[in-house]
Amino acid sequence: MAGTAVVGAGNYTLEIDTGFIQDAFILDDAIAGVLNNTTYVLNGTTNFADVTDGIDSIMVKRGRRDQGDQFSAGTMSFNMLDTTGIFNPFDTLSPYYDPTTAQPGLAPMRKVQLARYNDINVKEYLFKGYIVNFNYNFALGGLDTVTVYCADDFYLLAQTYLAEFNVSEELSSTRLTAILDRPEVAFPAGQRNISTGTQTLGGAAAFTIAEATNVLEYCNQINTAEQGRLFMARDGDLTFEPRIGATLSGSVADFHDDGTNIPYDAVGISFEADQVVNRAAVAILGNTTQQVADDAASQAKYFIQTASITGSLLHNDTAALALANYLLEPEPEARYTSLGTNLNKLTTAQRDTVAIIDIGDTITIEKTFASGAGTTELAQELAVEGVEHTITVSNGHSVMYFTSPTVVVYELILNDAVFGIIDADNVLG
């Protein structure tokens, strides 16, 4: 495929905004309304240059490793060989040098995007973001190399601050939309995937947003009140999901170690005391009185282990108490916390599935264990909280997923001995 590099398990392209903008064709315009040798498109667009051929390694990290962590900016770093010197920031004759701004092709805040083409040649993005730093390494008597560091749009939100304004009592998703719509933020409307929230946020004087409030920190406060997911998806959309609860069984990929389904290389298993939360305290803004939930039986077994949230955006104490009860995890449970696989070992169809698994998807992990004289298998359906891609010329493309437990329910099946009974595990689809 022209313009892409084959790296072990597929065709990939890494594109960088060169800074040049193709002009838009504008009807009746004295200049842009005349067809000539200038390159015009129906609407002005960023001009990306493919630099995949010179790259020997790429690392993408997105999401979080644990459900209790906050989502931060997704990152991508890559190393490339500069055999002709065209990425040297001092080379004004480089084809990527923009003379109108006197900036090199790898200038900070240039857009960058990584994509993989699947078996039917559909371009699937794995990362979209911006260059935030690059190091040019001069090698005396050898090939110069460039190390580039990138971040997604959360980086921009972390550099933006709000003006003071009063808020209304409203759903978490409505508040998030209002923040992104603020003129000092102006996050693109077409780059959002915001689901309706379940929690109401306060609108009294105590909830007024102060001058110079950091945008990303406030967005994370919204998500802390909601207890959902707020992240940048692999295609660059800011994604908000409501409070995590029961979900219909719907695994997008089944990973097994018995020779069936999708094979994997590594699995992490956690069974830790610090998983336990048997006392939770939540206080809303403007109220120092905490709403407390306790699990006495768990405290007797595991001592008191507390989670505390102060200054919550929730609108009243009833909602704060509901959140405190939601945070309780009285019993530790063994679970699979991470899974790694290499696309080189997979079929073409499996590669296409595995490469685009994203945060919020559900996957199944099954492992075989020795049990007495025989073996037994344990399968768990888990939610994906974080994704890491490592792509190298020598080892191909490997992926690591970090997971969290999820409460799985199943669709009611009439006349089925197991799934035909409406209860805590079976629901109407």
Side-chain angles (χ1 to χ4, degrees):
M1 182 182 301
T4 64
V6 178
V7 184
N11 293 319
Y12 299 80
T13 177
L14 198 154
E15 301 167 326
I16 297 173
D17 171 17
T18 61
F20 300 105
I21 303 297
Q22 293 177 313
D23 294 321
F25 180 74
I26 306 172
L27 289 175
D28 299 326
D29 188 275
I31 298 176
V34 179
L35 290 174
N36 52 32
N37 290 330
T38 304
T39 299
Y40 290 113
V41 293
L42 291 180
N43 55 354
T45 183
T46 302
N47 186 21
F48 283 93
D50 191 339
V51 298
T52 317
D53 288 342
I55 293 174
D56 60 10
S57 67
I58 305 171
M59 169 67 80
V60 175
K61 295 183 178 182
R62 298 177 41 252
R64 57 188 179 182
R65 293 197 170 199
D66 186 84
Q67 187 175 342
D69 298 336
Q70 288 284 10
F71 288 99
S72 57
T75 62
M76 178 174 70
S77 61
F78 58 91
N79 296 313
M80 58 195 309
L81 301 174
D82 192 11
T83 56
T84 60
I86 59 175
F87 294 111
N88 183 337
F90 303 116
D91 183 5
T92 59
L93 298 180
S94 166
Y96 302 123
Y97 190 86
D98 185 354
T100 60
T101 61
Q103 284 191 326
L106 292 182
M109 301 317 297
R110 291 281 173 85
K111 289 185 177 181
V112 61
Q113 52 194 32
L114 170 67
R116 178 184 182 273
Y117 290 87
N118 67 16
D119 189 46
I120 58 174
N121 206 30
V122 173
K123 189 177 186 179
E124 298 280 9
Y125 288 101
L126 305 182
F127 181 87
K128 283 188 174 182
Y130 299 85
I131 293 173
V132 294
N133 186 29
F134 74 96
N135 296 327
Y136 196 94
N137 309 302
F138 292 101
L140 299 178
L143 293 176
D144 296 338
T145 60
V146 187
T147 304
V148 183
Y149 302 93
C150 315
D152 63 24
D153 279 83
F154 268 14
Y155 175 84
L156 300 183
L157 294 180
Q159 309 302 312
T160 308
Y161 294 84
L162 292 162
E164 180 181 336
F165 76 101
N166 298 322
V167 294
S168 302
E169 188 170 297
E170 58 199 352
L171 284 176
S172 56
S173 50
T174 305
R175 178 72 55 82
L176 178 61
T177 298
I179 295 298
L180 299 178
D181 285 343
R182 295 288 299 174
E184 62 269 30
V185 181
F187 193 88
Q191 200 180 324
R192 307 179 192 176
N193 182 14
I194 299 177
S195 300
T196 302
T198 64
Q199 303 303 303
T200 300
L201 307 187
F207 295 88
T208 297
I209 297 177
E211 183 79 22
T213 296
N214 183 272
V215 173
L216 183 58
E217 289 181 5
Y218 191 82
C219 290
N220 281 330
Q221 282 185 274
I222 295 173
N223 190 52
T224 298
E226 178 66 40
Q227 289 293 308
R229 295 188 183 93
L230 176 65
F231 61 94
M232 296 300 303
R234 60 182 179 82
D235 62 0
D237 283 356
L238 186 148
T239 303
F240 178 70
E241 298 176 351
R243 180 166 292 188
I244 302 168
T247 179
L248 279 172
S249 176
S251 176
V252 301
D254 292 344
F255 295 91
H256 292 198
D257 67 343
D258 59 2
T260 64
N261 294 291
I262 304 174
Y264 58 85
D265 300 322
V267 63
I269 300 176
S270 174
F271 191 36
E272 301 173 348
D274 63 6
Q275 293 176 343
V276 173
V277 176
N278 50 34
R279 187 176 193 273
V282 179
I284 65 173
L285 276 172
N287 191 345
T288 58
T289 302
Q290 292 183 320
Q291 302 302 305
V292 179
D294 284 291
D295 189 300
S298 175
Q299 291 175 6
K301 290 171 64 177
Y302 303 111
F303 306 101
I304 296 176
Q305 302 193 53
T306 303
S308 177
I309 297 175
T310 58
S312 172
L313 299 182
L314 290 169
H315 70 301
N316 62 25
D317 286 342
T318 302
L321 182 59
L323 174 55
N325 280 286
Y326 176 85
L327 294 173
L328 290 177
E329 296 287 347
E331 293 287 339
E333 295 183 3
R335 65 178 177 88
Y336 305 127
T337 54
S338 62
L339 179 136
T341 189
N342 191 299
L343 273 64
N344 286 342
K345 301 178 180 180
L346 311 184
T347 67
T348 298
Q350 289 171 342
R351 293 171 183 173
D352 290 347
T353 297
V354 165
I356 60 172
I357 293 173
D358 206 356
I359 298 162
D361 287 339
T362 301
I363 62 174
T364 299
I365 303 174
E366 182 176 288
K367 190 173 188 333
T368 304
F369 299 93
S371 178
T375 60
T376 185
E377 292 181 337
L378 173 65
Q380 292 181 336
E381 286 195 20
L382 301 158
V384 174
E385 300 292 337
V387 182
E388 293 185 2
H389 295 271
T390 303
I391 306 172
T392 65
V393 173
S394 58
N395 295 319
H397 184 177
S398 61
V399 188
M400 181 71 74
Y401 307 107
F402 298 94
T403 65
S404 66
T406 186
V407 179
V408 178
V409 293
Y410 300 88
E411 289 191 65
L412 180 73
I413 303 175
L414 293 178
N415 299 323
D416 188 278
V418 177
F419 301 110
I421 303 172
I422 295 181
D423 57 17
D425 296 321
N426 304 322
V427 297
L428 295 174

